[in-house]
Amino acid sequence: MNRQERTDVELVQAVLAGELEQFAELVERYEKLVFSFLLTRLNDLQEVEDIVQETFVKAFRHLASFDCERRFAAWLLTIARNLLIDSRRKAGRSIASTNLVNEVMLTDSAREAASQPSEVVVRRERFRSIVAMIQELPEELRTPFLLRVINELPYQEIAEVLDVPLQTVKNRIFKAREILREKRESL
Amino acid sequence: MNRCPEKDKIVLFCERELSDVEQAQFELHLKTCSECRLELEQTIADDSLLREGVEEAFTRHRVSQRIMAQIRNEKTARPATDSYKGWRYFWLTAFALLTIIAVISLYTPSPAKYQGRVGAIMLQALNEETTLQNEKLAVAKIYNLETLAPASLDGCILFTVSGDKTSVFKMSGQATVRINNGLPEFSDAKATFELVSGAIITILVNGNPLKLERKTMIPAPFDTSDLEPDQVSLPAANVPLVASTSEQTDAIIDDMPEEPCIVDKPAGNASASEPAAEVMPGSDTWIDPTQAPGNNPFADEPLKLDGN
Ligand SMILES: [Zn+2]
């Protein structure tokens, strides 16, 4: 029996039955999804970390209320989204763009260590402009686009996670790419 | 400079949405059009840079250890046994019950004692002057104590403790509330407690168990020199004002008593600051049990994630 093959619902049921540590597997599966969902919406990575943590803890506390007919990832993103709205309301501000981008690639990655300093600068500059362009996308386009590019999810899965029709997902991703292409041309 | 008309296909090409024929045609075009070729290369490069950048950030900012540590530490943070749906139905039935018992007498034979785990503890302000952590609490909103504890409350608050049985009781006054063994625990309490409906419940007040029973106003076992004692009209002489302390504190909820839990005005309210709002049909805090679940203020409707 391959334990890794357990479905989300099976894991949820195992946690509810008392196998607390099985929740770690759900975290493992979806932490990056929640992280990238929040990444372009917040000011700094500390805030992203906090809301990722809150999202999973809240999911754990309310695990019994998870509707097994739904996708676990969709449920998580709903929680993350609500927490995000709460935190914005508390902070009384909307997303900023610059701080986050500066922070994201601050430390030296293995890849950058092997590169010329000038290449590193160019790469970071490029990344900065990409993220800035993405942050300007309307949210309805940004989220499916990020799920596609960062999380490399198939259209069908994005449609299920965002609870929108398949064709809508495709249209939004194409639209996002079109906008990004135009922005790139004007760079 | 004229824009290459084939450029519109780059996005579809990247997303592998071209038909086989179109794809072959476009690949052919790429061989001759440097403009499109450059654009395509840039798109692919940007995609992978974005992926790598986010991956780097993610690697450095993972919180899975923290999540699991918090979950293990939270002894009371067991996943709730009630679903939101369940809550909706619970509230509907709870208030439907209140309506009925306010009008007619109910008779429930042989009150069986029930000992089980409490699922969730929800609270709601009954008047606009009620505060939580010194901030005014919205009257129409239901809060899960688990997400607030320890909650410093002042005013008139309705608590709903749900498990296999449900209990609705009212607190008037000041106290700090947290969850202890699945039960609401009130510390630094200068308050009165009253069972409004549902099963008899034992709560913890200033370190002592306090059994809340139907139609009783139970002054908490603390110095009430600044509070007028209640003029309690007891339905039976043997119902104690203050619960015995011999009860176990682990989620004891008794079954419905044999006499109805009549919601009537308390003979005297011991809340020092605010008169208690009564949950009665026609009053502001009365929740219409015929309300659709969607409009139920207790319904915890998740935001629809539609990308907007
Ligand atoms: Zn071309």
Side-chain angles (χ1 to χ4, degrees), chain A residues 24-35:
Chain A
E25 175 61 27
L26 289 166
V27 178
E28 177 69 28
R29 283 183 194 180
Y30 297 114
E31 189 184 351
K32 191 177 164 186
L33 179 82
V34 178
F35 178 87

Side-chain angles (χ1 to χ4, degrees), chain B residues 203-260:
Chain B
I203 61 172
L204 290 164
V205 180
N206 293 340
N208 299 309
L210 179 65
K211 192 172 178 182
L212 299 179
E213 297 185 69
R214 74 205 136 79
K215 208 172 181 254
T216 53
M217 282 286 293
I218 305 174
F222 53 83
D223 181 18
T224 55
S225 52
D226 58 335
L227 303 172
E228 279 297 304
D230 295 318
Q231 296 296 313
V232 182
S233 98
L234 297 172
N238 62 346
V239 176
L241 265 182
V242 178
S244 78
T245 55
S246 60
E247 293 284 355
Q248 293 288 312
T249 57
D250 186 21
I252 300 162
I253 299 183
D254 293 345
D255 215 334
M256 196 73 181
E258 59 267 290
E259 283 195 5

Side-chain angles (χ1 to χ4, degrees), chain A residues 21 31-32 49 53 60-61 64 81-82 104 107 123 126 140 148 155 162 177 181 184-185, chain B residues 3 7 15 39 43 46-47 55-56 60-61 63 66 70 72 74 77 80 303 305 307-308:
Chain A
E21 295 304 315
E31 189 184 351
K32 191 177 164 186
E49 279 187 15
Q53 181 171 357
F60 174 78
R61 287 177 182 160
R81 199 189 144 89
N82 287 341
V104 166
T107 52
R123 183 167 174 267
R126 184 80 203 166
E140 58 165 28
R148 179 77 174 156
Y155 294 126
L162 298 181
R177 283 202 179 281
R181 188 169 64 81
R184 211 162 19 220
E185 276 178 359
Chain B
R3 194 171 165 279
K7 263 195 171 179
E15 290 292 331
E39 172 89 30
T43 305
D46 281 359
D47 276 8
E55 186 66 46
E56 281 169 30
R60 283 181 283 112
H61 294 272
V63 290
R66 267 162 53 181
Q70 188 180 347
R72 289 184 200 110
E74 285 188 23
L303 265 183
L305 193 77
N308 284 320

Side-chain angles (χ1 to χ4, degrees), chain B residues 4-7 10 26 29-30 33-37:
Chain B
C4 174
E6 292 292 298
K7 263 195 171 179
I10 293 174
F26 188 70
H29 172 75
L30 283 174
C33 177
S34 60
E35 195 187 335
C36 284
R37 208 164 51 234

